[in-house]
Amino acid sequence: SPIVITITNAPTTESLSFVTTDYHPKDPSLGSRKVRIADKIWLEAIDAQELTIGEEFVLMRWGVMKVTAINGDASNRTIEAEFIPEGDFKAAKKKISWIADCKDNTPCILTEFDNLIAKEKLEEDDILTECLTPITKAESFAEGDAGLKTLEQGVVIQLERRGYYCVDQPYKDSNSPLILYMIPDGKSKAMSGLAGKIAHR
């Protein structure tokens, strides 16, 4: 479950504030986009639980933050931080993905698939039904940037620190979210600590 962080000196959600960032940090020619910022943001639990008071970390595409308070335990944690305008990106060890807590976010379903057959190679005496992978599909709910509402069916995108996905169903409304199918990358290890529900293959 995601964990909320309050950025005490950031603009409020109602102020409709944005920062401009390149689509790809290593290739500005691909263009730029606006990213919503706010005083309430969401982090993946695995990222938030590793933060310590006084630590400086980077919110990707925004800037350097410093943890000023941590309340609650691992299962019910709230964190406060402040934006450091002149913070040192290189000195901050953690680079974390995030999303502003606002009603314009895009509801998404991330869909993963596993191999139908659990064994790398079937032998002559194998019984096929005993070699099938028990669970070959898993879904996770997520919230994405408002810009994801414009994606069309078949478009391939990269979700930072997660992998590549293909749009199976474009966003229609709150009852018909964006459905993304994960594209296997041939690796058994996830791109980051944000592992999915089933194995990467």
Side-chain angles (χ1 to χ4, degrees):
S1 299
I3 291 178
V4 67
I5 286 191
T6 300
I7 310 298
T8 55
N9 59 341
T12 63
T13 301
E14 292 74 20
S15 68
L16 297 177
S17 298
F18 299 83
V19 294
T20 301
T21 181
D22 293 332
Y23 275 111
H24 196 297
K26 295 182 180 180
D27 190 356
S29 68
L30 295 176
S32 61
R33 64 186 178 94
K34 290 184 176 181
V35 176
R36 182 78 174 270
I37 62 174
D39 56 344
K40 301 287 186 182
I41 66 169
W42 292 99
L43 297 190
E44 297 274 3
I46 190 173
D47 290 326
Q49 290 169 2
E50 294 178 350
L51 295 174
T52 58
I53 293 179
E55 180 179 8
E56 293 189 5
F57 63 98
V58 173
L59 290 181
M60 296 169 65
R61 311 301 181 96
W62 185 354
V64 178
M65 309 289 160
K66 182 177 181 179
V67 180
T68 56
I70 297 177
N71 302 300
D73 55 25
S75 62
N76 186 28
R77 177 166 295 182
T78 59
I79 299 174
E80 291 185 3
E82 61 179 353
F83 173 49
I84 310 296
E86 304 301 324
D88 188 341
F89 279 76
K90 294 183 178 179
K93 295 182 179 180
K94 296 185 178 74
K95 275 71 174 178
I96 298 175
S97 52
W98 56 281
I99 190 168
D101 180 17
C102 59
K103 63 182 180 180
D104 295 329
N105 290 341
T106 304
C108 309
I109 295 177
L110 308 183
T111 310
E112 307 166 64
F113 299 95
D114 201 350
N115 292 337
L116 295 177
I117 299 175
K119 293 185 66 175
E120 186 173 338
K121 181 180 179 181
L122 289 175
E123 305 296 337
E124 289 186 7
D125 57 348
D126 281 334
I127 300 175
L128 180 60
T129 55
E130 295 179 356
C131 300
L132 298 178
T133 304
I135 299 175
T136 58
K137 180 181 178 180
E139 295 181 339
S140 302
F141 177 79
E143 285 196 17
D145 184 272
L148 296 180
K149 292 185 173 73
T150 65
L151 296 178
E152 298 180 354
Q153 187 176 29
V155 170
V156 174
I157 63 169
Q158 181 182 14
L159 299 183
E160 287 181 327
R161 302 175 65 218
R162 281 196 177 273
Y164 289 91
Y165 290 78
C166 179
V167 177
D168 179 66
Q169 175 183 287
Y171 171 84
K172 296 178 182 178
D173 53 45
S174 58
N175 296 316
S176 185
L178 174 68
I179 297 179
L180 298 174
Y181 280 4
M182 188 174 190
I183 299 174
D185 56 11
K187 300 177 182 178
S188 60
K189 185 177 180 181
M191 293 180 68
S192 70
L194 307 181
K197 291 184 175 180
I198 56 181
H200 289 225
R201 302 180 190 274

